[in-house]
Amino acid sequence: MKKTLALLTLAATATLLTAPAQAQFAKPDDAIKYRKAAFTVMGAHFGRIGAMVNGKAPFDAKAAAENADLVATMSHLPWSAFGPDTDLGDTKAKPEIWKEQAKFKQGAEKLQAEAAKLAAAAKTGNLDNLKAAFGPTAETCKACHDAFRAK
Amino acid sequence: MKKTLALLTLAATATLLTAPAQAQFAKPDDAIKYRKAAFTVMGAHFGRIGAMVNGKAPFDAKAAAENADLVATMSHLPWSAFGPDTDLGDTKAKPEIWKEQAKFKQGAEKLQAEAAKLAAAAKTGNLDNLKAAFGPTAETCKACHDAFRAK
């Protein structure tokens, strides 16, 4: 029973991760280019918050809120682009993404949850709140990169 | 007087276009990578609306609204990444961007205005409204690509 449930979950997850990609990208390379672009935009705006959190840039509450909203928006985008046949090509994606789809999906959802908290924290206009939410969000990036992205 | 005003406008525009880039990107190549990524994400979501508008994909009102919101969001991002020293490198950006900054900025603002209308049209849930707003938005893409992007 447990095994059946696990298999059903895996199948459902696989469908979630693959169905939109097939519909949305003409070629696997288009999907790879898209997901890398989404990560690049997300990383740039997350980095701007990081600079404020780490004292490398002055705290600007409005900019922090805008950047955090963008991170939260972008956190939803890359995942549908890890569909079939997108494991090869110009990508650092590790085979584990397709072997451990439930774990991969969990990682994506964790990022989305933390990014939403980051955006809420940024909206308070308080640097301490921003700092408190930044670390857990950064950890979700690192956890997935360690598990699923080649160096 | 007219000339002075024109020069002042040019100076203000140049400041708008260059100041954030200097603050936000460690290296010119980072800015180039970022702006290309923002265009890639924008283009992908605009293309999904295009597929619906052109009958190549079934009309999905919810997806259209989400895609149009993303296009509108992304329409604000690339411009600060056309700062000093970002004319060289892995880019199709033409020198005209820096020679005709007022025209370039107008093009960006026109896209932002049309993308906002597209997002509003998509929210009506009516395919005809979406079609009516799609063309003018696409024209703003083409106008800037013709003027400012190398083939």
Side-chain angles (χ1 to χ4, degrees), chain A residues 34-46:
Chain A
Y34 170 84
R35 72 195 184 204
K36 288 166 81 170
F39 283 121
T40 292
V41 173
M42 181 158 49
H45 291 281
F46 191 62

Side-chain angles (χ1 to χ4, degrees), chain A residues 81-104:
Chain A
F82 287 92
D85 302 323
T86 66
D87 52 337
L88 300 175
D90 185 15
T91 177
K92 290 182 180 167
K94 288 165 81 170
E96 281 75 4
I97 290 172
W98 293 272
K99 287 181 199 153
E100 303 168 17
Q101 293 219 330
K103 183 182 167 190
F104 184 65

Side-chain angles (χ1 to χ4, degrees), chain A residues 24-25 30 33-34 36-38 40-41 44-45 48 70 73-74 77 80, chain B residues 24-25 30 33-34 36-38 40-41 44-45 48 70 73-74 77 80:
Chain A
Q24 290 169 348
F25 300 101
D30 292 347
K33 185 180 175 187
Y34 170 84
K36 288 166 81 170
T40 292
V41 173
H45 291 281
R48 290 179 199 172
L70 282 166
T73 297
M74 304 309 291
L77 300 189
S80 71
Chain B
Q24 290 169 347
F25 300 101
D30 292 347
K33 185 180 174 188
Y34 169 84
K36 288 166 80 169
T40 293
V41 173
H45 291 282
R48 291 179 199 173
L70 282 166
T73 297
M74 304 309 291
L77 301 189
S80 70

